[in-house]
Amino acid sequence: GMKCSYRTSILRCNSIEQGRAMIRWRAEWIPGGIEWIVSLSEVAGWSIQYIDQDPRTLSTFRWGGVRDLIARAVTQGNITIPCASVEGTAYLEIDSESGKCTRHKERIDTISEADGNRLLNRKVARNTAEFLDIRRPPNVDPDEWAGIVESRVLSGVPGAGALDIEPMDQTESDSGAFFLVISLVLSVAVTFLVGFLDQSEGSEIRICEQVSALGDFSYEQCLADIYK
């Protein structure tokens, strides 16, 4: 899995004609909201598999999905985590004499999906907006750029607005919350078990740091429970 929070890679590079090239690229990172899951998985020794999200699939929240995710990690030792990613194509024109790039044009896949009204996934839309925020041209006003991104990428995507809440799966009941709590308690219990079995110095402290990140459980109380 990825060890760094952000990385880019070139997927393909083709020469269209003399002085012109087409480059397929990819940027990927771990979304800030799930970094604690990655840290917990590393402490527990779970194998992490990163997957891309389908931009054309409506993103809905399911308690059962969270429950199944944790349960599979606990019982099978592996966990699947959605990776934030953006792919695109860069078109370059190179001056044959100086070797300098004279024109640079880019086409981002998710923007094309949005233009065709095919972008439905809230998470993909927000990841793209986050990526575009750091790609803002230096001569463009931040507020103006934010408005362009809002209208071009986020507008029309269910739950993608700044104040929107991710749609809930209507097939589920409130009992999902109970199963989620049970799953989280079980995962934390297994994490502690791994820590006790790990004899390397400081393993318990690392576990307490991760557990305290979940909230409602202080770092000091964690250490007290371990060493009492």
CSV table of all heavy atoms in Angstrom, one decimal, residues 16 79 86 107 120 151 168 178 183 211 227:
chain,number,residue,atom,x,y,z
A,16,ILE,N,2.7,12.2,-30.2
A,16,ILE,CA,1.6,12.3,-31.2
A,16,ILE,C,2.2,12.6,-32.6
A,16,ILE,O,1.9,12.0,-33.6
A,16,ILE,CB,0.6,13.4,-30.8
A,16,ILE,CG1,0.0,13.2,-29.4
A,16,ILE,CG2,-0.5,13.6,-31.9
A,16,ILE,CD1,-0.9,14.3,-28.9
A,79,ILE,N,-8.0,-5.3,4.9
A,79,ILE,CA,-9.0,-4.2,4.9
A,79,ILE,C,-8.9,-3.5,3.6
A,79,ILE,O,-7.8,-3.3,3.1
A,79,ILE,CB,-8.8,-3.3,6.1
A,79,ILE,CG1,-10.0,-2.3,6.1
A,79,ILE,CG2,-7.5,-2.5,6.0
A,79,ILE,CD1,-10.0,-1.5,7.4
A,86,VAL,N,-7.0,11.2,-8.8
A,86,VAL,CA,-7.4,12.0,-10.0
A,86,VAL,C,-6.5,11.6,-11.1
A,86,VAL,O,-5.2,11.5,-11.0
A,86,VAL,CB,-7.2,13.5,-9.7
A,86,VAL,CG1,-7.6,14.3,-11.0
A,86,VAL,CG2,-8.2,13.9,-8.6
A,107,ARG,N,-6.4,17.7,-19.6
A,107,ARG,CA,-7.8,17.3,-19.5
A,107,ARG,C,-8.0,16.3,-18.3
A,107,ARG,O,-7.3,15.3,-18.3
A,107,ARG,CB,-8.2,16.6,-20.8
A,107,ARG,CG,-9.7,16.1,-20.8
A,107,ARG,CD,-10.1,15.5,-22.2
A,107,ARG,NE,-11.4,15.0,-22.2
A,107,ARG,CZ,-12.0,14.4,-23.2
A,107,ARG,NH1,-11.3,14.3,-24.4
A,107,ARG,NH2,-13.3,14.0,-23.2
A,120,LEU,N,-21.5,11.3,-10.3
A,120,LEU,CA,-22.5,11.1,-9.2
A,120,LEU,C,-21.9,10.9,-7.8
A,120,LEU,O,-22.6,11.0,-6.8
A,120,LEU,CB,-23.5,10.0,-9.6
A,120,LEU,CG,-24.3,10.1,-10.9
A,120,LEU,CD1,-25.1,8.9,-11.1
A,120,LEU,CD2,-25.2,11.3,-10.8
A,151,SER,N,-19.0,25.3,-9.6
A,151,SER,CA,-19.9,25.2,-10.7
A,151,SER,C,-19.5,24.1,-11.7
A,151,SER,O,-20.4,23.4,-12.3
A,151,SER,CB,-20.0,26.5,-11.5
A,151,SER,OG,-18.8,26.9,-12.0
A,168,MET,N,-28.1,8.8,3.0
A,168,MET,CA,-28.1,7.5,3.7
A,168,MET,C,-28.8,6.5,2.8
A,168,MET,O,-29.7,6.8,2.0
A,168,MET,CB,-28.9,7.6,5.0
A,168,MET,CG,-28.2,8.4,6.1
A,168,MET,SD,-26.9,7.5,6.9
A,168,MET,CE,-27.8,6.2,7.7
A,178,PHE,N,-25.9,0.4,16.1
A,178,PHE,CA,-25.6,-0.6,17.1
A,178,PHE,C,-24.5,-1.5,16.6
A,178,PHE,O,-23.5,-1.8,17.3
A,178,PHE,CB,-26.8,-1.4,17.6
A,178,PHE,CG,-26.5,-2.6,18.5
A,178,PHE,CD1,-26.2,-2.3,19.8
A,178,PHE,CD2,-26.5,-3.8,18.0
A,178,PHE,CE1,-25.9,-3.4,20.6
A,178,PHE,CE2,-26.2,-4.9,18.8
A,178,PHE,CZ,-25.9,-4.7,20.1
A,183,SER,N,-18.7,-3.4,16.2
A,183,SER,CA,-17.6,-3.7,15.4
A,183,SER,C,-16.4,-2.9,15.8
A,183,SER,O,-15.3,-3.4,15.8
A,183,SER,CB,-18.0,-3.3,13.9
A,183,SER,OG,-19.0,-4.1,13.4
A,211,VAL,N,-5.7,4.6,19.4
A,211,VAL,CA,-7.0,4.4,20.1
A,211,VAL,C,-7.5,5.8,20.5
A,211,VAL,O,-8.7,6.1,20.4
A,211,VAL,CB,-6.9,3.4,21.2
A,211,VAL,CG1,-8.2,3.4,22.0
A,211,VAL,CG2,-6.7,2.0,20.7
A,227,TYR,N,-1.0,-0.8,32.0
A,227,TYR,CA,0.0,-1.0,33.0
A,227,TYR,C,-0.5,-1.2,34.4
A,227,TYR,O,0.3,-1.3,35.3
A,227,TYR,CB,1.0,0.2,32.9
A,227,TYR,CG,1.8,0.2,31.7
A,227,TYR,CD1,1.6,1.2,30.7
A,227,TYR,CD2,2.7,-0.8,31.4
A,227,TYR,CE1,2.3,1.2,29.5
A,227,TYR,CE2,3.5,-0.7,30.2
A,227,TYR,CZ,3.3,0.3,29.3
A,227,TYR,OH,4.0,0.3,28.1
